[in-house]
Amino acid sequence: MPATLSPILKQATPVEAVSGRGAVLVDVHGREYLDFTAGIGVTSTGHCHPKVVAAAQEQVATLIHGQYTTVLHQPLRRLVARLGEVLPAGLDSVFFVNSGSEAVEAALRLARQATGRPNIIAFQGGFHGRTIGAASLTTSGTKFRTGFAPLMGGVFISAFPAAIRLGMTVEDATDFALRELDHLLQTVSAPSDTAAFIVEPVLGEGGYIPAPARFLHGLRERADHHGILLIFDEVQTGAGRTGRFWAQEHAGVRGDILVTAKGIASGFPLSAMAASTELMAKALPGSQGGTYGANAVACAAAVATLEVIEEEKLVDNSRTMGQQLLDGLAAVAATRTDRVRDVRGLGLMVGVELWAEDRRPDPSLTAAVQRNAIDEGLLLLTCGTGNNVVRFIPPLVVDRAQIDAGIAAFTRALDRALEHRPAGASS
Ligand code: PMP
């Protein structure tokens, strides 16, 4: 009997992909789609960038698996050297695994071993992965946490300055979130028990909400004051996604541990954790590793990815195309303010928050827009703790014409969804 794919897996679109090039994906019927999902922010250099393809093909024919707890290999050495050129100053030691979740787990282990403290503080609406440790830090939706308790102990959740959801200004939300963190440190997790804060510089799954700079500075100050480590989860925001190489640069705040994945290898499974040599030295040697970490083909693809990002100035492109996308979507929103609550983002990480006329989150309108967009030849994802944010994450190679085409397709998808919704309907 033929097996079937488990229904555990849920797909956002019915598209069956066959090939891809740049920002375009082609399905089994030969239909082309503008791919503004980029494999959830992974295909930074676009689908099948020729340089990435060539590097991977060459590596496949040379050495596929140079198991890194057994032997070293050249692509790994080259990647360490190349990453050294882009990592934030002081984070000069790198460790590799395969997925964002695993890199988050690696950071948790390092933070606990280095400080000898048990607790981790994460922030409301954050997404850090699906393995049990990472899921324990994740509060962007109960579906990532429910039905498999108990989760990892020693995790405490503090407020994130999500101004709209809190019904506050960004300034007030920032004050509130920092006050709540102080309260948590005073009443629940003593600083002497707290190993780390972990935060996304732009909330991803949780709704594409950039963390205000003052909030990140507040975390840094408290971390310094109490000897707590600051972990930046740049799994989604790294490698140029937000118009700077790392999103933490927008606020000018450096973390003690950086976790990244997705965009660094253009689609090959590779993730990294970076910290200072001094901090890494506090981990127990051999306490981390894995069978597939730093796969030679993935490392070769990552080196090529970093070269393409530099040569094609993709961080700048992310900034300028991101601005064009933001401006275009803001113009669309301006005439539909009753249903479009907010357009926001950094670089090519842009979210459009949709509300019902009663000013509650409208997840069904959001789902309808995403579905309609597929008919318009545009692939989009959604996010947000209320499932009411349409998210735009095109590859960093996207061009002006594609951005305009994406905005036009989104607008048609939105208007079609609104037409079928009688005034006053809330979902
Ligand atoms: N952290 C963040 C910020 C993410 O966006 C994701 C993936 N969406 C993860 C961690 C987990 O990465 P992975 O799915 O590769 O395990």
Side-chain angles (χ1 to χ4, degrees):
M1 215 168 78
T4 57
L5 192 55
S6 166
I8 290 174
L9 200 61
K10 236 184 106 199
Q11 263 121 17
T13 78
V15 173
E16 190 165 337
V18 168
S19 64
R21 182 50 64 113
V24 175
L25 205 59
V26 183
D27 76 3
V28 279
H29 309 293
R31 180 160 187 213
E32 292 193 353
Y33 296 88
L34 198 48
D35 181 7
F36 277 18
T37 72
I40 324 187
V42 169
T43 55
S44 50
T45 56
H47 289 290
C48 298
H49 190 289
K51 274 198 94 161
V52 176
V53 170
Q57 281 177 335
E58 193 186 326
Q59 189 58 45
V60 164
T62 312
L63 177 74
I64 295 174
H65 182 57
Q67 204 285 322
Y68 75 158
T69 62
T70 311
V71 296
L72 268 179
H73 56 78
Q74 290 301 299
L76 173 53
R77 280 202 183 283
R78 279 199 290 272
L79 180 57
V80 171
R82 187 82 208 185
L83 266 178
E85 293 168 19
V86 291
L87 282 168
L91 304 192
D92 51 3
S93 182
V94 218
F95 170 72
F96 297 96
V97 267
N98 308 288
S99 67
S101 304
E102 276 182 280
V104 166
E105 300 275 342
L108 296 182
R109 282 179 174 74
L110 174 61
R112 282 175 162 176
Q113 288 183 346
T115 59
R117 301 176 182 179
N119 295 347
I120 309 287
I121 296 180
F123 296 89
Q124 194 75 57
F127 182 90
H128 299 288
R130 293 176 182 270
T131 53
I132 298 280
S136 310
L137 309 169
T138 292
T139 51
S140 58
T142 49
K143 70 171 179 279
F144 304 115
R145 302 169 60 89
T146 196
F148 52 89
L151 296 173
M152 185 181 83
V155 175
F156 299 94
I157 307 295
S158 196
F160 184 89
I164 290 179
R165 192 181 62 79
L166 293 169
M168 296 178 183
T169 63
V170 173
E171 286 304 306
D172 286 350
T174 302
D175 289 336
F176 169 74
L178 290 173
R179 264 200 321 270
E180 287 297 292
L181 178 59
D182 288 335
H183 191 60
L184 194 73
L185 290 168
Q186 213 167 15
T187 58
V188 181
S189 179
S192 58
D193 284 335
T194 305
F197 303 140
I198 181 165
V199 70
E200 294 165 87
V202 180
L203 218 56
E205 270 298 321
Y208 275 29
I209 308 173
R214 197 159 62 78
F215 178 65
L216 299 182
H217 280 282
L219 297 188
R220 181 72 271 171
E221 275 163 28
R222 284 155 180 81
D224 288 342
H225 184 67
H226 296 300
I228 295 170
L229 298 171
L230 176 58
I231 305 171
F232 276 127
D233 180 343
E234 295 236 25
V235 165
Q236 190 163 163
T237 54
R241 170 58 53 194
T242 68
R244 306 293 289 261
F245 201 96
W246 306 109
Q248 60 194 273
E249 294 169 31
H250 289 280
V253 177
R254 185 169 65 76
D256 301 296
I257 303 177
L258 168 76
V259 174
T260 194
K262 292 191 188 274
I264 56 166
S266 294
F268 286 85
L270 184 79
S271 61
M273 165 178 74
S276 67
T277 304
E278 195 189 0
L279 185 62
M280 285 281 192
K282 293 185 178 160
L284 302 177
S287 64
Q288 305 221 27
T291 303
Y292 295 106
N295 170 269
V297 183
C299 287
V303 171
T305 298
L306 294 174
E307 281 169 5
V308 170
I309 289 175
E310 187 187 342
E311 287 162 11
E312 299 186 12
K313 300 189 171 40
L314 294 186
V315 182
D316 290 345
N317 197 57
S318 170
R319 195 163 45 241
T320 51
M321 291 301 105
Q323 194 59 52
Q324 186 186 331
L325 179 59
L326 204 60
D327 291 346
L329 292 172
V332 174
T335 52
R336 296 161 181 83
T337 47
D338 53 334
R339 308 308 291 274
V340 182
R341 176 68 177 82
D342 194 27
V343 177
R344 57 176 174 256
L346 282 177
L348 285 169
M349 192 170 177
V350 173
V352 176
E353 180 157 350
L354 301 178
W355 280 38
E357 279 165 339
D358 62 4
R359 300 182 76 71
R360 285 169 193 267
D362 197 337
S364 77
L365 172 63
T366 311
V369 172
Q370 195 250 359
R371 266 194 320 272
N372 291 349
I374 301 168
D375 302 336
E376 301 290 341
L378 173 67
L379 301 184
L380 292 170
L381 292 172
T382 60
C383 63
T385 53
N387 297 312
N388 65 322
V389 179
V390 180
R391 62 164 142 174
F392 296 74
I393 11 169
L396 308 188
V397 292
V398 73
D399 64 27
R400 284 193 180 282
Q402 289 168 329
I403 292 284
D404 285 342
I407 295 168
F410 165 76
T411 309
R412 290 192 297 273
L414 174 63
D415 286 345
R416 213 146 47 80
L418 290 175
E419 262 167 38
H420 295 298
R421 218 151 274 269
S426 68
S427 63

